[in-house]
Amino acid sequence: MHFSVIFRVLGVLLMIFSLTLLPPFALSLWLNDDHHHAFLIAFAITFATGLGIWLPVHRARHDLQTRDGFLITALFWSVLGLFGSLPFYISAELDASFTDALFESISGLTTTGATVFTGLDFLPKSILYYRQQLQWLGGIGIIVIAVAILPMLGIGGMQLYRAETPGPVKDSKLTPRITETAKALFFMYVALTLLCALAYWLGGMSGFDAICHAFSTVAIGGFSTHDASIGFFNSPVIMAICTFFMFFSGINFALHFFGWREHSIRQYLKDPECRFYSAWILVGALITITYLYFTGTYGFFDSLMHGSFEFVSVLTTTGFGTADFSAWPTFLPFMLFLFAFMGGCGGSTAGGMKVMRVMLICKQGYREIKRLIHPSAIIPIKVGKKSVPDRVVEAVWGFFAVYIISFMVMFLLLLATGLDFVTSFSAVGASINNLGPGMGDVAAHYGNINDPAKWILCFAMLLGRLEVFTLLVLFTPMFWRR
Amino acid sequence: MHFSVIFRVLGVLLMIFSLTLLPPFALSLWLNDDHHHAFLIAFAITFATGLGIWLPVHRARHDLQTRDGFLITALFWSVLGLFGSLPFYISAELDASFTDALFESISGLTTTGATVFTGLDFLPKSILYYRQQLQWLGGIGIIVIAVAILPMLGIGGMQLYRAETPGPVKDSKLTPRITETAKALFFMYVALTLLCALAYWLGGMSGFDAICHAFSTVAIGGFSTHDASIGFFNSPVIMAICTFFMFFSGINFALHFFGWREHSIRQYLKDPECRFYSAWILVGALITITYLYFTGTYGFFDSLMHGSFEFVSVLTTTGFGTADFSAWPTFLPFMLFLFAFMGGCGGSTAGGMKVMRVMLICKQGYREIKRLIHPSAIIPIKVGKKSVPDRVVEAVWGFFAVYIISFMVMFLLLLATGLDFVTSFSAVGASINNLGPGMGDVAAHYGNINDPAKWILCFAMLLGRLEVFTLLVLFTPMFWRR
Ligand SMILES: [K+]
Ligand SMILES: [K+]
């Protein structure tokens, strides 16, 4: 481990992050909403800490190794999550406990979108803007880390993406190619956000709401500036725009990059993960719409709109709402919820286990059945035309098992804090999948549950965002041994 | 596929099974409880059908192949389940619908122990005896099939047991060695049942209850002759006896065979699966007892007795009860329930995924973490001193994934029939793990849920008992192709 380099990276990260506190500060001054001091203090603390960490080691030069990659990735969300909570904690109007401030910040940065605050419509605009921006920043982190760093770490079969990123990472060192890759993806991310904001604005949102919701849509975050979420606008046009951008943001950003460079949708059409994802969106939305219609929950048009919106929102793990979906006939909320375990494509801002892994698990389950009938046949697993190496297959199994086991353990812990079954089940599911809204006591917000539960859920959000292994590996003595 | 031989085996099975209707028939005559006609009619139908199937093909001679093994195993429980329901269906006093009769019969034979009948204490003794005997017969089937046939089929990594069964099966044909193996195991099973019955009788049960409960204990079945289950006897001695025999029956019967042959417990102590199983029983029971005591649910002695009894009962998937465990502080029922997904050791009568598989999954999860830190290291998975072949490792992953996915699908289907969350979750869990009692509306019995739900649960019980793949494989066109 090269701690000097890790500290250098961390120091720079904190200083960059501190700069992101200036836009809400400026907004607060401009709107005169009396919150600029919170952002100023948070900026000063964050910048000073970053500088203090960076200065002693700013001359350190080492190539980063795989092991450093794990630590940096884990620190990215946990340390930024900590400092990101400062404005919430300092704000007198929010009157948030440390736990609540941290929960909101981690929920924002991990793009989970679970909130402990209510009465959003009456909060200062600068705070609202800051929450949305947190998600957007978290989204950048995911895109860059998922495409540039995670494949190198080889977590849960994500080596598969290695050859498919614009700037391939061929060895285990962080090369300058990553900077290129990151730049290209950052550009795509910004472009998509602008496009989304423009569409929302044309669809009828105010400029402020359009930008704020574009932030949390492209980041698959799910924070809103209104308690009623997208339902506030009560507009089929905005719902349709939102559905489209949630769907689009759930696709691997490397594909967006190719599509943009080649001015064609060919790459989307031939990508097996993207096809699997689109197929399930179609099938699932159809089931949802049909069920809503035939149970008489809504008429045809509302079934169509709410059904497809909510299904895409939950499957992609965005977590926007237009209706109280936890009050739909019991089958539907849970079906949607189980799809959130799949989530969007790898290399997107979506949570969940990722489409690629679920696809591989299905293929392998089917191969096991084939093997029972033809025990001596050699049956390769293919994604598109490529055979998947056994090593990747095993890594995906491992990921699935550890994901499920982590879910179970945290579910039991939440029950032990005294929450009921549906609340515990859905809260852990919504957190580990970075989905956001749950059911039971956490259907509307997370403000009323106990503090230990909030801490467990913070851990769950980080665990999900860090693809489980990145975080778990830090808890093994092996990792810290030379 | 050699259908002539399969029919021959099926015919013989049915004729043998029909003979097992004679003891309850005799009991009914002796006690004069007015139910002998039900058993006589059932006997006649079953025997005649068996004979009718057997006669045309009784000269067929072929070596059975792997594929035939799947079909015979699946038919064993489904066809016997069907014919086993006859006495329930015919009985005028039970007044059972076809669905209820089939549910009870499949629940019995698969050793699940979920019941649709209430007021057991007032039912005719012959019917009660028949239910217990069904479980005992199912138990024999499991032992023989699990040790003699399943390893040959290579389901979910159970090839591991091949080398460890008393009469090893080295090729893919059913050799006469299997007959020896089966005889040895049958002997162990009978001996254990007699021992258990004797212990119960000395512990204070009536002779009838002692035999009946020995049947369902050794079979890890969980049927009782009383609504209050083991709680009826209100005796710490009987609870202790029951706990011991449930624990003991959850161990691979091949180990019992070795232990008996060598007059030593050496084999138990050095078997990795048995050690893992015992360790978790200790840890889990300790957690349960501690939690019960410190939440003030019981005093110390009752916490100790009920805690260890219920934990062993649920983990081994027996499903006997002494207390309304679904009313314990929420954390406990669900913790116990999740342990039922592990279940007992392979080659025992227990349900669940089996200890060996869970052990391999844990080892592999840990290996994945190791591999992240040392990407180029070759890390074998060991059970005891033996390395586990990659093929087995993959099969176990496949089993886990398909098990979890089957669970999810059936859980959603149950929700769609209108059952609530806790009921659906626990009913499917209790069925696929062959545990028996659930929570919510199925905490006491399964009599009040709708018919479609009962059919889904019948399928779940068969799926669990048939190690998922044996049944699923029959639904693939591939299986039926030449
Ligand atoms: K989200
Ligand atoms: K059972």
Side-chain angles (χ1 to χ4, degrees), chain A residues 66-67 70 153-156 291 330-331 334-336 338 341 361-362 364-375 390-391 393-402 404-405 408-409 411-413 415-422 425 469-470 472-473 476-479, chain B residues 66-67 70 153-156 291 330-331 334-336 338 341 361-362 364-375 390-391 393-402 404-405 408-409 411-413 415-422 425 469-470 472-473 476-479:
Chain A
T66 307
R67 222 180 266 218
F70 282 108
L153 305 185
I155 290 168
Y291 204 91
T330 337
F331 166 73
F334 285 103
M335 187 195 77
L336 266 62
L338 290 182
F341 276 86
I361 285 167
C362 292
Q364 292 166 62
Y366 189 62
R367 174 168 79 169
E368 280 310 308
I369 292 178
K370 267 191 188 165
R371 273 180 167 171
L372 288 176
I373 303 173
H374 305 292
D390 278 355
R391 183 64 200 81
V393 172
E394 282 175 29
V396 172
W397 284 135
F399 183 87
F400 181 71
V402 171
I404 299 285
I405 292 169
M408 302 274 196
V409 170
F411 165 53
L412 283 178
L413 288 177
L415 283 172
T417 69
L419 296 183
D420 70 46
F421 186 71
V422 173
F425 187 89
F469 280 106
T470 320
L472 285 188
V473 88
T476 60
M478 214 189 325
F479 181 80
Chain B
T66 307
R67 224 181 265 219
F70 283 107
L153 305 185
I155 290 169
Y291 205 90
T330 335
F331 165 74
F334 286 102
M335 186 195 77
L336 265 64
L338 290 182
F341 276 86
I361 284 168
C362 291
Q364 291 166 63
Y366 189 64
R367 175 169 77 167
E368 280 309 308
I369 293 178
K370 267 191 189 165
R371 274 179 167 174
L372 288 177
I373 304 173
H374 305 292
D390 278 355
R391 184 65 199 82
V393 171
E394 283 174 30
V396 171
W397 284 135
F399 183 86
F400 181 71
V402 171
I404 299 286
I405 293 169
M408 301 276 194
V409 171
F411 165 53
L412 283 178
L413 288 176
L415 284 173
T417 69
L419 297 182
D420 69 46
F421 186 71
V422 172
F425 187 89
F469 280 107
T470 320
L472 285 188
V473 89
T476 61
M478 215 189 325
F479 181 81

Side-chain angles (χ1 to χ4, degrees), chain B residues 246-253 255-256 268 274 277 345-348:
Chain B
M246 290 190 290
F247 164 74
F248 202 63
S249 307
I251 296 173
N252 190 343
F253 269 69
L255 283 185
H256 294 320
Y268 296 107
C274 184
Y277 166 76
C345 303
S348 77

Side-chain angles (χ1 to χ4, degrees), chain A residues 219-236:
Chain A
I220 309 205
F223 269 162
S224 172
T225 54
H226 304 284
D227 280 340
S229 189
I230 297 291
F232 171 85
F233 303 102
N234 199 15
S235 151

